[in-house]
Amino acid sequence: MNIQTALRVLYPPRCMGCGTMVQSDFGLCGPCWRETPFITGFTCDHCGVPLPGGRPGEVAHCDECMVLPRPWRQGRAAMLYRGTARRLVLALKHGDRQDLAVPCADWMARALAGVDTTGMLLAPVPLHRWRLVRRRYNQSALLARALGRWLGAEVCPDLLERVRRTPVLDGKGVEARFVTLDRALVVPDRRAGRMRDRHVLLVDDVMTSGATLAEATRACLEAGAADVSVVTLARVAKEP
């Protein structure tokens, strides 16, 4: 028995969602796969939420994005934030499941299939330094690094800094989220030259109202970015 086979016997592949045994590493069992709301087909060009209908080449925006215009060019998401997707996001964010970043970034790369990422500079949405110390890692940075490898793109993990320690946004309304995050993110002078006149792709785990991504976009554009697009692992959306 070779080492690889021995490791398979000792550590068989487990479902990313529930931990039951599966056929391959970083896979999902049948029930978890059925409960994972991957976003496919026609989507909002600004946030990636699924839209009905759509023709090849058509660009459309969801009601939320038409009411609240986005400062970035394009946006995509791999999954809706419910079911297995929610469990995976929480495991990556709070459960120290850093191993999930690589397969999740693969799904994000697939969501970006219709977006021209040539020459883009990838940057994660940052945590405040005290929150980073407590959590030990930034899940968005893990996703950005893994996504950069899938796309063959340059990644700058510290392009943005969170200069104000903002409270947790859970439970806050849209207006309160935007007020809370106002001027909370900056591009430090030491990084401005790296992104000047370039298209930045912001990477985050979840988009809810879009306030965090809007603030990050503002910081990038004011520091000289040519344009900004966004991608998230999951998108919060109303149940159909």
Side-chain angles (χ1 to χ4, degrees), residues 159-188:
L159 182 70
L160 288 154
E161 286 185 3
R162 193 176 291 253
V163 293
R164 282 196 297 104
R165 189 178 182 182
T166 55
V168 175
L169 299 176
D170 294 349
K172 290 184 180 291
V174 174
E175 184 176 351
R177 286 170 176 261
F178 277 84
V179 170
T180 299
L181 287 161
D182 186 44
R183 299 286 161 176
L185 303 179
V186 300
V187 176

Side-chain angles (χ1 to χ4, degrees), residues 182-216:
D182 186 44
R183 299 286 161 176
L185 303 179
V186 300
V187 176
D189 291 341
R190 70 179 186 280
R191 289 289 179 247
R194 188 169 177 181
M195 55 150 264
R196 188 165 290 117
D197 299 324
R198 296 185 65 180
H199 192 153
V200 175
L201 179 64
L202 295 172
V203 181
D204 206 0
D205 56 347
V206 181
M207 176 180 170
T208 304
S209 67
T212 303
L213 290 165
E215 173 60 16

Side-chain angles (χ1 to χ4, degrees), residues 83-127:
T84 303
R86 184 175 183 275
R87 293 199 298 272
L88 291 174
V89 168
L90 293 177
L92 173 63
K93 190 171 186 174
H94 300 297
D96 202 22
R97 289 291 310 277
Q98 299 182 47
D99 58 297
L100 295 177
V102 172
C104 287
D106 180 22
W107 296 335
M108 295 167 76
R110 294 170 189 266
L112 286 164
V115 176
D116 183 8
T117 59
T118 306
M120 280 187 178
L121 176 66
L122 275 61
V125 170
L127 294 175

Side-chain angles (χ1 to χ4, degrees), residues 128-137 165 168:
H128 187 272
R129 60 183 178 277
W130 293 118
R131 188 166 291 168
L132 181 60
V133 167
R134 189 167 65 249
R135 192 177 293 171
R136 297 185 296 107
Y137 64 92
R165 189 178 182 182
V168 175

